[in-house]
Amino acid sequence: MPELPEVEVVRRGLERWVAGRTVDEVEVLHPRAVRRHLAGGVDFAARLRGLRFGTAMRRGKYLWVPLDDAEFSMLGHLGMSGQLLVRPSAAPDEKHLRIRFRFDDVLGTELRFVDQRTFGGLSLHDNTPEGLPDVIAHIARDPLDPAFDDTAFHTALRLRRTTIKRALLDQSLISGVGNIYADEALWRSRLHYERPTATLTRPVTAGLLGHVRDVMREALDQGGTSFDSLYVNVNGESGYFDRSLDAYGREDEPCRRCGTPMRRRPWMNRSSYFCPRCQRPPRAV
DNA sequence: AGATCGCCCTGCTTGC
DNA sequence: TGCAAGCAGGGCGATC
């Protein structure tokens, strides 16, 4: 379940192992892995052949690779289970290998997009003047972006008529936060997930943003987190690390602050984990 | 236009 | 044992 830290680990891997390499051949093994491309996988492959990858970029959970001397980029989203692997060309195909990139060099490795659940995919898009693939122009900057505007974020929260966890997961307000880090940051902030955003004060927003950044940086320092073998970084090593999450997945386990059993509540067809004592629900609206 | 909801997908777990 | 249901869930498009 890659969120911002995991995607950043993948981006760094691409920067290290793929930047500067020229595409020789692209093999699309599953049509769904190529997104928003009416001309299909064959055309996707044809457009990339002979082009050289630049330095991978990231915004939130999206990453993209600019192509030298071209006005478009290859955009990627890992979805739930996507992996970008740099593997020896002789290595056997993964069961869920979707797209293979062979390069015009003698390094003996290839780039593979592997995705079990096919929620992720790659696509090609023209760049905006800012160098962003045009289809993600609506994605907000992420909280680790130096240009993220804390004041504007607070103002936007106050204007919205929604609840805090929905807002944290709204990629047009703040990007890169998924269900796991949302629950972690809310627990650290002692905020209930249904707190109306219109009731947030400036200090509360500032505290929440601080916790979002802390939890992401801690995960990034350890190479990303994951809960099963689905997430693997660009070199094929598992991004899993056994850092103790404080909230996510801890139903019935004692709150690390007060010992009260943590609870899980169905929420938007997924789950929210929280401490019923530290994170009191808001008064009925 | 802001908010909400259904759908896409596969493999593992749970329950009858 | 076998089968079905539940669960994991990010993003997009339809709808109000």
Side-chain angles (χ1 to χ4, degrees):
Chain A
M1 314 164 199
E3 299 184 27
L4 185 153
E6 292 78 17
V7 178
E8 174 60 17
V9 171
V10 173
R11 190 202 66 76
R12 292 176 184 178
L14 291 174
E15 184 175 24
R16 168 71 179 82
W17 299 105
V18 172
R21 300 179 72 179
T22 298
V23 176
D24 182 46
E25 186 188 5
V26 180
E27 199 178 343
V28 178
L29 297 123
H30 191 296
R32 249 185 84 81
V34 171
R35 293 302 167 90
R36 317 193 221 200
H37 200 79
L38 292 176
V42 172
D43 185 71
F44 173 87
R47 288 188 67 192
L48 284 171
R49 189 172 301 124
L51 296 181
R52 190 172 60 190
F53 282 140
T55 299
M57 314 285 282
R58 181 189 56 73
R59 175 175 286 196
K61 303 171 201 170
Y62 279 97
L63 51 82
W64 69 96
V65 188
L67 294 148
D68 290 354
D69 304 319
E71 309 228 325
F72 59 93
S73 297
M74 184 176 79
L75 179 68
H77 197 291
L78 301 178
M80 287 289 299
S81 54
Q83 307 168 17
L84 280 164
L85 309 177
V86 174
R87 298 282 288 147
S89 303
D93 289 359
E94 289 74 13
K95 181 177 180 184
H96 301 294
L97 176 62
R98 307 305 190 194
I99 304 177
R100 181 203 323 274
F101 299 82
R102 293 194 174 92
F103 295 106
D104 186 13
D105 55 42
V106 294
L107 296 178
T109 61
E110 58 187 37
L111 176 66
R112 298 177 180 181
F113 179 68
V114 177
D115 190 9
Q116 175 202 113
R117 295 180 212 176
T118 67
F119 271 33
L122 305 179
S123 51
L124 301 177
H125 302 283
D126 291 338
N127 301 323
T128 67
E130 293 76 32
L132 199 71
D134 54 15
V135 296
I136 62 165
H138 67 290
I139 300 292
R141 291 185 185 273
D142 61 65
L144 298 189
D145 185 333
F148 184 89
D149 188 335
D150 291 24
T151 302
F153 179 65
H154 175 71
T155 303
L157 288 182
R158 295 279 309 189
L159 290 172
R160 288 290 176 106
R161 290 297 175 266
T162 188
T163 49
I164 186 57
K165 187 168 172 181
R166 287 175 186 270
L168 283 176
L169 298 186
D170 184 339
Q171 305 295 301
S172 69
L173 284 174
I174 182 171
S175 67
V177 184
N179 200 41
I180 296 169
Y181 294 121
D183 279 1
E184 292 300 305
L186 289 171
W187 181 85
R188 291 186 183 203
S189 304
R190 303 181 189 232
L191 288 172
H192 191 276
Y193 58 97
E194 287 185 321
R195 171 80 173 262
T197 56
T199 69
L200 296 181
T201 62
R202 207 172 270 276
V204 170
T205 301
L208 176 60
L209 275 177
H211 288 306
V212 169
R213 290 179 172 126
D214 286 347
V215 78
M216 284 184 166
R217 286 202 191 98
E218 289 167 24
L220 193 49
D221 286 346
Q222 307 215 25
T225 186
S226 182
F227 299 92
D228 51 38
S229 61
L230 289 176
Y231 168 68
V232 181
N233 73 19
V234 76
N235 294 316
E237 296 167 2
S238 171
Y240 177 84
F241 75 100
D242 59 0
R243 74 179 275 265
S244 52
L245 292 170
D246 292 314
Y248 187 85
R250 297 197 67 240
E251 182 178 21
D252 296 333
E253 294 177 49
C255 170
R256 295 193 206 281
R257 258 194 313 254
C258 74
T260 303
M262 300 285 289
R263 287 190 183 152
R264 179 179 74 89
R265 287 285 177 274
W267 182 85
M268 298 278 291
N269 290 322
R270 55 193 78 170
S271 297
S272 273
Y273 296 89
F274 67 105
C275 170
R277 183 171 173 192
C278 296
Q279 297 166 268
R280 294 297 173 90
R283 299 201 309 178
V285 184

